[in-house]
Amino acid sequence: MENKFGMKNSTNFGIIVFLDLDNFKNSMRVKGWTRYSPNPITGYLTNKIVEYIRKFRAIDIWGLNRREGTEEAILFFYQDQDFVQDLMNTLREEIFTIANELNAPTSLSIGMCRGDVPKLKKITRHRKNEFKKDPAIFLAYKALKKAKKKGGNCIVQL
């Protein structure tokens, strides 16, 4: 049974989501944006993640950066996979639309998988070895890499 936010009664499992902006360093160079403060895209992604944390009780595992803007992040949702898939697809489309309006050559790739509630110790570095410590996070990471190999701007679920 689900509530209006797509949450199931069981809280042992959820959805790990790994987000990453595609070719973002190139986009920053083209637009002349600094990496030390949010720009329209990283600021928007940051605000959406904060909204998900507040509205859907998502857990920020890694990457949320209010000071510089968020380029990549790992989130955990207690909601149903279809609900999270729809939420992430909308986010991906919104980022693509904003990037097109700004003539910024970027988009959003997303890797997702269903897994146990992760250890609540935050990941401190973007390293494969860090991601391997939790099997579900590592699967989401692998899904993200597959999305990138497909050319980006897509969601891959494992």
Side-chain angles (χ1 to χ4, degrees):
M1 173 113 182
E2 294 179 14
N3 67 19
K4 67 180 181 176
F5 298 114
M7 293 180 71
K8 297 211 174 220
N9 289 338
S10 171
T11 57
N12 294 335
F13 291 96
I15 307 301
I16 304 280
V17 177
F18 206 130
L19 309 164
D20 189 17
L21 292 170
D22 301 316
N23 302 312
F24 195 66
K25 284 185 176 75
N26 180 47
S27 185
M28 286 189 338
R29 185 182 50 74
V30 167
K31 297 304 290 180
W33 293 332
T34 177
R35 69 176 281 256
Y36 300 108
S37 63
N39 57 61
I41 295 172
T42 60
Y44 184 82
L45 185 55
T46 300
N47 289 335
K48 291 306 280 187
I49 290 171
V50 169
E51 176 186 324
Y52 299 155
I53 291 167
R54 289 183 181 146
K55 189 173 182 180
F56 304 118
R57 294 184 359 188
I59 298 171
D60 166 38
I61 297 172
W62 175 80
L64 178 63
N65 190 336
R66 290 181 172 121
R67 187 171 46 98
E68 296 176 4
T70 303
E71 182 181 345
E72 53 191 349
I74 303 172
L75 303 172
F76 178 81
F77 290 86
Y78 286 104
Q79 285 76 13
D80 177 80
Q81 189 158 351
D82 291 338
F83 180 85
V84 177
Q85 168 83 24
D86 291 344
L87 192 65
M88 291 300 107
N89 196 47
T90 299
L91 177 61
R92 185 190 57 75
E93 290 170 353
E94 290 168 347
I95 293 287
F96 188 72
T97 299
I98 292 167
N100 279 339
E101 289 172 358
L102 295 170
N103 255 353
T106 191
S107 56
L108 183 66
S109 289
I110 302 169
M112 293 175 46
C113 79
R114 183 174 185 269
D116 289 328
V117 175
K119 299 172 192 159
L120 292 181
K121 182 179 177 195
K122 281 194 163 236
I123 294 171
T124 56
R125 294 182 172 173
H126 184 279
R127 295 207 174 155
K128 194 174 180 179
N129 287 342
E130 283 284 314
F131 304 144
K132 281 184 173 181
K133 291 178 182 177
D134 185 289
I137 291 173
F138 188 62
L139 278 177
Y141 172 74
K142 287 176 71 172
L144 174 69
K145 291 301 176 190
K146 285 187 178 191
K148 295 280 192 182
K149 283 183 182 177
K150 287 183 169 188
N153 195 32
C154 66
I155 300 173
V156 171
Q157 295 182 29
L158 292 182

